[in-house]
Amino acid sequence: MRKKIVAGNWKMNTTLNEGVGLAKDVNEALKNVTPKCDVIIAVPFTHLASINAVIDSNRLGLGAENCADHKSGAYTGEVSASMVASTGATYVILGHSERRQYYGETSETLKEKVSLAFENNLTPIFCIGEVLEERENGTYLDVVKKQIEDALFNLSAEDFGKIILAYEPVWAIGTGKTATDDQAEEMHAFIRGVIAKKYGDEVAENTSILYGGSCKPTNAAALFAKPNVDGGLIGGASLDAQSFMGIVTAF
Ligand code: PGA
């Protein structure tokens, strides 16, 4: 059975103190509920070690929002997968559309990042998604298929089975314009079919595919009710413990 997951993506928000406070609030709130899903927060690099020290890792998973595409060495300003792992974090978001769009990440660099994540026992939360133009010109299914094929289909079935996918239509990220639950379901079912064709039904059935893009407490339940939507990757609404918990408890 694939896991249900709600993961927060804090992006470039919160100072260290604010971030530790927010993580503590989420950790506390999780003591009072029995969530029907795994809960993860992905936070800025600078916050990882401090947050790891104040959360209960059985209740709340911790991840980075990126890692370098090299092991170590003369890459000023970069943070490696082994550095991320050394903080106690066990997840890493890779291929977020903001990284692809603003920092030129390609499937080639992402392949390296995925491989380094695995070497360091980090679980990748791998993002894919089309831009508005591709949605409107009807190529969105092909675009997402190609993103998966180009960056991930070099993996063995065993390694692919460790990946969490996040479908995030770029036009829905931070725009307040959510994909409808039917649009999300169409894409998620399609992605599962693409995986099944390459790796077989069992791997496809066991892959968690999260939806991301303006997911909020008010629309999460309808999205999560869809059979192929296994949870959410939450940006804006993860910056407030109450709204994040509203999404966690939507399952
Ligand atoms: P959003 O971001 O929830 O603010 O739209 C989602 C994401 O980019 O992961």
Side-chain angles (χ1 to χ4, degrees), residues 7-9 11 93 96-98 127 168 172-176 212-216 233-238:
N9 172 15
K11 309 192 180 183
I93 296 177
H96 192 280
S97 64
E98 288 151 16
C127 304
E168 300 203 304
I173 295 177
T175 57
S214 300
C215 188
K216 298 182 274 282
L233 182 56
I234 319 300
S238 72

Side-chain angles (χ1 to χ4, degrees), residues 25-44:
D25 287 348
V26 173
N27 190 63
E28 276 306 304
L30 284 168
K31 289 182 184 165
N32 305 320
V33 292
T34 311
K36 297 198 182 78
C37 60
D38 287 2
V39 185
I40 300 164
I41 47 174
V43 308

Side-chain angles (χ1 to χ4, degrees), residues 169-178 213-214:
V170 179
W171 46 271
I173 295 177
T175 57
K177 196 174 164 192
T178 325
S214 300

Side-chain angles (χ1 to χ4, degrees), residues 2 94 107 123-124 172 186-187 204 231:
R2 56 185 181 259
L94 292 176
S107 294
T123 299
E186 180 199 27
M187 179 62 86

Side-chain angles (χ1 to χ4, degrees), residues 10-120:
W10 289 6
K11 309 192 180 183
M12 196 172 74
N13 291 296
T14 73
T15 61
L16 180 58
N17 273 345
E18 289 164 354
V20 169
L22 176 56
K24 277 185 182 164
D25 287 348
V26 173
N27 190 63
E28 276 306 304
L30 284 168
K31 289 182 184 165
N32 305 320
V33 292
T34 311
K36 297 198 182 78
C37 60
D38 287 2
V39 185
I40 300 164
I41 47 174
V43 308
F45 292 130
T46 45
H47 301 14
L48 285 168
S50 307
I51 288 180
N52 186 55
V54 298
I55 61 173
D56 175 353
S57 60
N58 294 316
R59 205 174 273 134
L60 183 57
L62 180 64
E65 302 171 14
N66 182 27
C67 72
D69 56 342
H70 295 278
K71 232 181 206 149
S72 65
Y75 300 100
T76 301
E78 287 293 289
V79 176
S80 71
S82 71
M83 292 173 186
V84 169
S86 73
T87 67
T90 55
Y91 297 88
V92 61
I93 296 177
L94 292 176
H96 192 280
S97 64
E98 288 151 16
R99 301 290 323 166
R100 294 177 191 256
Q101 241 181 317
Y102 308 142
Y103 301 97
E105 289 195 0
T106 63
S107 294
E108 285 314 302
T109 46
L110 289 170
K111 261 191 212 166
E112 297 303 318
K113 293 184 182 204
V114 168
S115 142
L116 289 163
F118 281 141
E119 264 178 43
N120 290 283

Side-chain angles (χ1 to χ4, degrees), residues 100-177:
R100 294 177 191 256
Q101 241 181 317
Y102 308 142
Y103 301 97
E105 289 195 0
T106 63
S107 294
E108 285 314 302
T109 46
L110 289 170
K111 261 191 212 166
E112 297 303 318
K113 293 184 182 204
V114 168
S115 142
L116 289 163
F118 281 141
E119 264 178 43
N120 290 283
N121 297 316
L122 297 173
T123 299
I125 301 175
F126 192 87
C127 304
I128 53 207
E130 82 284 0
V131 299
L132 184 60
E133 190 192 343
E134 295 157 342
R135 168 64 52 177
E136 286 176 344
N137 69 18
T139 58
Y140 57 99
L141 296 175
D142 291 338
V143 166
V144 168
K145 180 171 182 235
K146 191 163 165 30
Q147 288 174 338
I148 297 172
E149 284 172 349
D150 289 355
L152 300 176
F153 275 9
N154 61 317
L155 296 173
S156 65
E158 194 192 341
D159 277 347
F160 189 91
K162 295 180 201 154
I163 293 224
I164 298 166
L165 286 179
Y167 167 58
E168 300 203 304
V170 179
W171 46 271
I173 295 177
T175 57
K177 196 174 164 192

